[in-house]
Amino acid sequence: MKKFYLLLLTTLISFSTFAQEVSTLIKGIVIDNDTKDPVIGATVVIDGTTTGSITNFNGEFAIRTQQQGPKKVIISFVGYKSIEKEVNLTGEEVSFGELKLASDAIGLNEVEVIASVAIDRKTPVAVSTINPESIETKLGTKEFPEILKSTPGVYATKQGGGYGDSRINLRGFSSANIAVMINGVPVNDMENGSVYWSNWAGLSDVTRSMQVQRGLGASKVAVPSIGGTINILTKTTDADKGGNVYYGIGNDGREKIGLTLSTGKMDNGFAVTFSGSRTTGQGFVDATSFEGYSYFLNVSKEINKNHMLSFTAFGAPQTHGQRNGYNQGIEDYQKNGGIRYNPDWGYLDGQEYNLFTNFYHKPQISLNHYWTINEKSNLSTSAYVSIGQGGGTGFLGTSKDTEAYRRADGQIDFEKIRDENVALAEQGLGSETILRSSNNNHTWVGALSVYDNKLTDYLTFMGGLDVRYYYGEHYRQVEDLLGGEYFLNTSNVNIPNQKAVVGDKVAYHNDGEVYWLGGFGQLEYSKDRLSAFVSAAVSQTTYVRYDFFNYTPENQKSDNYNFLGYSAKGGVNYNLTDNHNVFFNTGYISRAPFFRSVFPNYTNDGNKDAENEKILSFELGYGYRSAKFNANVNIYHTQWKDRSFTRTVNQDFTANLLGVNATHQGIEVDAKYKVNHKLSFYGMLSVGDWRWDNDLNNVPIYDQNNQVVDSVNVFIKDLHVGNSAQTTAALGFDYELVKGLKLGVDYNFFGNNYADFDPTRRNDSEDRSEAWKMEDFNVVDINIRYKFQIGKLNSTLYGNVDNLFDVEYITDAQDGADHTAQSATRVYYGLGRTWNMGMKLNF
């Protein structure tokens, strides 16, 4: 027996020695072909095997294999062209040296300059980047903002559940206080700062990456980035010739078809990429059918080595039914069939008829010029135009309360409304209740130009101009007389007692004009482990209001109201080692009030006491990077002073509620662990403490003669800010089951979510109660992706199931009188289990 063990041990040692003798070490460094920076996290795999590695912080990789003979090594990373290297494994060390990955798109680096894309371990801001692979794999039937729900500080919901009706909050701030930019061009509404995601519902098809910069962000233009910046980069022009087709289906009749075509860079220097899609469905919520399209066109021309032009046009026209549910509470869902219940529709002539229908088209067209002046300086300029048209429908008339027409089954009785209008028409009278549309059209033109100059090896200057002009048109018009002959419009002083018919403007017609001129400058220092920047921006905003109903022609234009805004911010990042870094940033913003605060009473009499809002913020961050494990910790503190509030009293006078302050502070942690090229884990935790700072006592209300006629109080000190979950967490993994087949699971938790409320209506000193706190909830989503070949064509199958366990939870609510679940209104449940699947064929 001893001889047997000795023989076995000798054999094992022999095999081990033999394996060591024939093993081969393959190593190299992967860098960006243009910037020469290391590419971190690139995948390096021996073709046809599971043997591989990923590059570390320095772009280095090392693979030891016992395989022999000729093999192919594939180096790949999202956004780059893959490299294939032939190698003969003989047991000797193989070094590829520097391997340069080239971008798979033309003009991408130039767009990133205009868009102020943050650079890891260099730009001192908290940042999360979502790549196109994640968007394709995980979006499913989720709305565009919801792809960010596993990002620290983000709370995104579908609100009423209609197509494109989602909203997003970042660190407790609504989209009006989040800078949203597409290719560096701001898209926040110039009058109220809002972002209407239904305008971009199809943009996910052509999004190359989404970068969320929390806090002050890296943007150099004077945009309202209080909560953060969502920086969306679309496709530019594909460097290679080809394209793809996509077809997908989902729950509730969802169907999507898409096509992309690219010429690649041709001999004449031109390159063209086109993408288009159509999406239809019935909607998870009752009576929210939708039809949406998207289109994208990019034409690039490389004039010579110093000049390039790029033309881009994209848009997403859509129409969808909505659920506004103004007075809808939890009991209404329970009585009328559950979370799909929509109180805002009924039947007319046997057809589904929705009270609220949204329709909009907001194309954006830009022409970019990139000029390499010399080896040290560049000028990137984007001139753009956006022409938006559309609006939403609803009731108008003397009986606008839908409860008067509510049937026993909870739906609106449109037949009853029509019968009443027909009876009035027989008497020669107009319709009492009609369907109107509220239209918000606009024309927006602008230019953004960025000049950068490398002053020394370590110091770079950037500066530029941000010029915008916006004209918004706001009116209601008759959409359906619902059986009547006309609608009596008494709102227009220039046409008294107008008998309005379909297409006529009614109720109101006023326009807003906004002029914006901004300038910015930044100095950036980068040497060895230290990088730092200081920047400043200044902007002049001018508001003008036109009112065509309340004034005769000679008085329809208001005075000009001018506001000077400015910002200053700075930060420093220090890489302690190749793995550890720390950063700090701080900034101060003085932001012009929004249009509504300047003209609070829907008249041309502007609010001369309107003041800029002031924001002071600082943030401290730590990061760890290695080949397999990344982690970030951020601590932030933001003070928002002189929030712009106005309050109308007795329908005649308006109080300027100056001095309303809030503090948003918290801690965010996120991490990712890549076990190997097949399995990775990720997670995040975000804990916020967002509160109102102070009460207001005896705020005077003045009449037109500047006499005090009344006063108001606001009691909100120490109450939590509502409308966003203050605690969020996520945990997930991606695993390659077999070659080409990947499974992903995402768990998300949302807690400490207080109902939304109007702080200016908290005027009872005895009522210090918090707004109703909704129940915490968690959801699990899964996704699967399978890559395979059909002949010589690369194909991918996608599948998603969101809210896998069909959890019932509330995402949004308006606080009620006694701050309880029973009194809450405009309650919205999250969607139940939804699914979709699709296939993409690349050629």
Side-chain angles (χ1 to χ4, degrees):
M1 182 64 70
K2 290 183 179 179
K3 291 182 179 180
F4 173 76
Y5 282 127
L6 182 60
L7 178 62
L8 179 60
L9 179 61
T10 303
T11 304
L12 289 174
I13 293 173
S14 299
F15 275 118
S16 175
T17 304
F18 176 76
Q20 291 176 4
E21 289 176 349
V22 300
S23 67
T24 303
L25 178 65
I26 306 171
K27 63 181 183 179
I29 304 173
V30 182
I31 64 172
D32 185 291
N33 184 63
D34 296 321
T35 66
K36 311 308 177 188
D37 293 328
V39 178
I40 306 168
T43 300
V44 185
V45 178
I46 298 176
D47 190 32
T49 74
T50 59
T51 304
S53 178
I54 56 175
T55 55
N56 63 15
F57 172 72
N58 296 315
E60 301 166 336
F61 68 89
I63 303 174
R64 185 172 291 280
T65 178
Q66 294 178 0
Q67 298 184 53
Q68 300 179 58
K71 296 292 180 181
K72 184 186 297 182
V73 178
I74 301 174
I75 302 97
S76 61
F77 193 69
V78 175
Y80 291 87
K81 296 181 181 179
S82 297
I83 296 177
E84 296 183 357
K85 300 289 288 186
E86 300 288 346
V87 61
N88 189 24
L89 304 179
T90 62
E92 297 182 2
E93 181 178 298
V94 176
S95 178
F96 290 133
E98 286 190 348
L99 297 169
K100 299 177 180 178
L101 287 183
S103 172
D104 63 3
I106 298 170
L108 180 62
N109 289 334
E110 290 79 3
V111 171
E112 289 179 342
V113 170
I114 294 178
S116 304
V117 172
I119 302 172
D120 189 41
R121 287 176 58 93
K122 182 177 181 181
T123 310
V125 299
V127 63
S128 301
T129 301
I130 315 297
N131 61 42
E133 185 177 43
S134 294
I135 295 173
E136 271 193 344
T137 302
K138 297 185 177 183
L139 189 62
T141 55
K142 292 186 285 292
E143 299 291 356
F144 205 12
E146 288 185 288
I147 193 67
L148 303 173
K149 70 179 183 180
S150 295
T151 301
V154 166
Y155 183 64
T157 83
K158 293 182 184 295
Q159 293 197 104
Y163 175 77
D165 284 343
S166 56
R167 69 174 177 92
I168 188 169
N169 282 45
L170 185 52
R171 290 183 173 175
F173 298 99
S174 68
S175 63
N177 302 294
I178 303 169
V180 179
M181 298 191 295
I182 301 177
N183 296 334
V185 174
V187 298
N188 297 77
D189 189 278
M190 290 284 288
E191 293 183 80
N192 57 33
S194 297
V195 177
Y196 304 100
W197 289 102
S198 59
N199 298 343
W200 314 108
L203 192 61
S204 59
D205 296 332
V206 295
T207 295
R208 184 179 180 86
S209 68
M210 292 180 69
Q211 189 175 82
V212 181
Q213 301 170 8
R214 303 187 294 279
L216 295 177
S219 174
K220 292 169 279 293
V221 299
V223 290
S225 54
I226 302 174
T229 303
I230 298 176
N231 213 337
I232 300 171
L233 295 186
T234 68
K235 292 165 64 75
T236 53
T237 304
D238 294 334
D240 293 331
K241 181 179 180 181
N244 62 70
V245 291
Y246 174 87
Y247 178 75
I249 58 174
N251 58 279
D252 300 290
R254 186 182 183 94
E255 185 177 29
K256 181 174 182 178
I257 185 169
L259 170 70
T260 296
L261 296 171
S262 297
T263 65
K265 187 177 178 181
M266 298 181 285
D267 294 339
N268 59 7
F270 276 99
V272 181
T273 295
F274 168 80
S275 182
S277 71
R278 177 179 183 263
T279 306
T280 60
Q282 300 166 11
F284 181 88
V285 174
D286 294 340
T288 54
S289 298
F290 59 89
E291 182 174 22
Y293 296 83
S294 72
Y295 58 88
F296 170 87
L297 174 67
N298 181 275
V299 181
S300 295
K301 166 65 175 176
E302 190 176 88
I303 301 172
N304 53 45
K305 66 178 183 179
N306 294 327
H307 294 273
M308 187 174 76
L309 285 175
S310 177
F311 171 85
T312 303
F314 57 83
Q318 57 78 35
T319 301
H320 71 276
Q322 294 183 294
R323 172 176 62 182
N324 282 340
Y326 288 120
N327 298 312
Q328 188 171 359
I330 294 175
E331 186 179 352
D332 294 302
Y333 289 99
Q334 295 172 343
K335 290 190 306 183
N336 294 287
I339 64 175
R340 291 177 182 259
Y341 172 59
N342 179 4
D344 301 322
W345 70 286
Y347 290 97
L348 191 62
D349 294 328
Q351 300 296 315
E352 180 181 294
Y353 197 94
N354 200 308
L355 172 60
F356 297 109
T357 300
N358 177 272
F359 53 96
Y360 216 85
H361 183 204
K362 180 185 169 71
Q364 181 171 300
I365 302 170
S366 63
L367 179 63
N368 293 3
H369 175 236
Y370 311 119
W371 178 20
T372 303
I373 301 172
N374 52 48
E375 62 181 11
K376 292 188 175 182
S377 59
N378 303 275
L379 181 66
S380 300
T381 302
S382 177
Y384 59 89
V385 59
S386 175
I387 301 174
Q389 290 189 321
T393 63
F395 275 146
L396 179 66
T398 57
S399 298
K400 291 177 284 188
D401 182 5
T402 56
E403 297 309 311
Y405 300 112
R406 187 73 63 192
R407 301 192 324 186
D409 61 2
Q411 305 313 136
I412 299 173
D413 192 344
F414 286 102
E415 303 280 359
K416 179 180 178 181
I417 297 173
R418 185 175 61 180
D419 291 344
E420 290 181 358
N421 288 337
V422 168
L424 289 169
E426 291 174 351
Q427 303 174 46
L429 302 175
S431 293
E432 184 178 70
T433 303
I434 65 168
L435 191 75
R436 52 76 186 162
S437 64
S438 296
N439 293 57
N440 291 280
N441 306 330
H442 73 253
T443 300
W444 183 350
V445 296
L448 178 64
S449 188
V450 180
Y451 170 77
D452 65 276
N453 188 304
K454 197 171 180 63
L455 302 176
T456 70
D457 290 340
Y458 313 114
L459 189 64
T460 300
F461 168 78
M462 301 186 77
L465 290 174
D466 177 16
V467 182
R468 313 176 206 172
Y469 170 78
Y470 177 99
Y471 191 93
E473 186 181 21
H474 320 294
Y475 60 85
R476 284 183 171 172
Q477 74 177 19
V478 180
E479 289 293 322
D480 191 338
L481 290 168
L482 296 176
E485 295 293 327
Y486 65 89
F487 177 76
L488 186 63
N489 177 39
T490 59
S491 302
N492 189 347
V493 299
N494 298 295
I495 312 177
N497 298 317
Q498 174 193 12
K499 293 184 177 181
V501 296
V502 173
D504 285 345
K505 294 179 175 63
V506 293
Y508 63 80
H509 182 195
N510 55 76
D511 298 350
E513 194 171 26
V514 185
Y515 299 85
W516 173 290
L517 176 61
F520 55 90
Q522 175 173 300
L523 281 173
E524 182 178 325
Y525 176 84
S526 181
K527 182 182 180 182
D528 300 328
R529 296 182 181 275
L530 178 68
S531 59
F533 80 94
V534 291
S535 68
V538 63
S539 61
Q540 174 73 34
T541 304
T542 300
Y543 294 127
V544 184
R545 186 179 189 275
Y546 300 83
D547 195 320
F548 304 103
F549 271 23
N550 292 322
Y551 299 89
T552 54
E554 65 275 10
N555 297 313
Q556 290 175 348
K557 180 181 178 181
S558 75
D559 294 334
N560 291 7
Y561 288 83
N562 302 304
F563 298 89
L564 183 68
Y566 59 89
S567 66
K569 55 187 177 181
V572 58
N573 178 86
Y574 186 71
N575 296 329
L576 301 169
T577 67
D578 285 351
N579 302 108
H580 304 271
N581 73 290
V582 292
F583 73 82
F584 173 80
N585 68 55
T586 186
Y588 182 82
I589 299 174
S590 178
R591 185 181 70 178
F594 289 129
F595 195 93
R596 177 70 175 86
S597 297
V598 179
F599 299 100
N601 290 330
Y602 300 103
T603 71
N604 287 350
D605 298 323
N607 179 9
K608 294 181 173 58
D609 295 323
E611 287 193 10
N612 282 15
E613 298 181 336
K614 293 90 174 175
I615 300 94
L616 175 64
S617 180
F618 67 82
E619 182 169 14
L620 181 66
Y622 162 79
Y624 177 83
R625 300 289 183 274
S626 70
K628 291 192 172 184
F629 183 68
N630 294 346
N632 302 285
V633 180
N634 305 294
I635 301 172
Y636 65 91
H637 181 93
T638 302
Q639 289 182 307
W640 189 0
K641 298 184 177 181
D642 290 331
R643 285 201 54 175
S644 183
F645 284 117
T646 58
R647 179 170 156 186
T648 302
V649 179
N650 298 328
Q651 299 182 343
D652 295 315
F653 307 108
T654 299
N656 236 11
L657 302 183
L658 301 177
V660 180
N661 305 328
T663 296
H664 292 231
Q665 58 189 357
I667 183 169
E668 301 163 341
V669 181
D670 65 278
K672 182 174 184 179
Y673 177 57
K674 193 160 189 174
V675 180
N676 50 46
H677 70 280
K678 298 180 66 174
L679 176 65
S680 60
F681 294 91
Y682 46 87
M684 75 86 181
L685 173 65
S686 178
V687 180
D689 183 23
W690 313 324
R691 296 175 184 263
W692 298 102
D693 287 345
N694 60 305
D695 297 332
L696 295 182
N697 292 287
N698 298 318
V699 179
I701 302 172
Y702 299 90
D703 63 13
Q704 294 177 344
N705 298 316
N706 205 34
Q707 298 296 312
V708 176
V709 294
D710 205 343
S711 64
V712 295
N713 300 306
V714 176
F715 300 105
I716 56 174
K717 180 176 171 58
D718 293 330
L719 295 183
H720 283 91
V721 174
N723 207 32
S724 183
Q726 302 205 14
T727 301
T728 60
L731 185 64
F733 70 85
D734 289 315
Y735 180 63
E736 187 174 26
L737 301 169
V738 296
K739 186 179 179 181
L741 179 62
K742 282 191 174 183
L743 170 70
V745 178
D746 295 302
Y747 164 85
N748 282 271
F749 168 83
F750 304 92
N752 291 328
N753 188 7
Y754 295 86
D756 194 17
F757 65 96
D758 182 356
T760 71
R761 299 296 168 184
R762 285 296 195 106
N763 52 17
D764 183 356
S765 62
E766 300 300 318
D767 184 4
R768 294 283 182 170
S769 302
E770 293 276 13
W772 171 51
K773 189 170 78 168
M774 292 168 265
E775 289 188 11
D776 301 345
F777 66 92
N778 53 75
V779 292
V780 174
D781 304 332
I782 64 171
N783 64 83
I784 193 165
R785 184 191 67 189
Y786 179 53
K787 289 187 174 182
F788 62 101
Q789 284 195 311
I790 300 178
K792 295 183 178 180
L793 301 179
N794 294 321
S795 305
T796 309
L797 279 173
Y798 300 95
N800 294 269
V801 179
D802 296 329
N803 192 3
L804 176 65
F805 300 110
D806 203 20
V807 176
E808 189 172 289
Y809 58 95
I810 294 173
T811 61
D812 303 77
Q814 191 74 31
D815 195 35
D818 60 0
H819 320 302
T820 64
Q822 289 70 33
S823 65
T825 61
R826 210 170 191 183
V827 173
Y828 294 138
Y829 281 84
L831 270 56
R833 184 187 298 115
T834 59
W835 63 272
N836 83 306
M837 60 185 299
M839 178 175 176
K840 178 179 286 188
L841 185 66
N842 297 287
F843 52 84

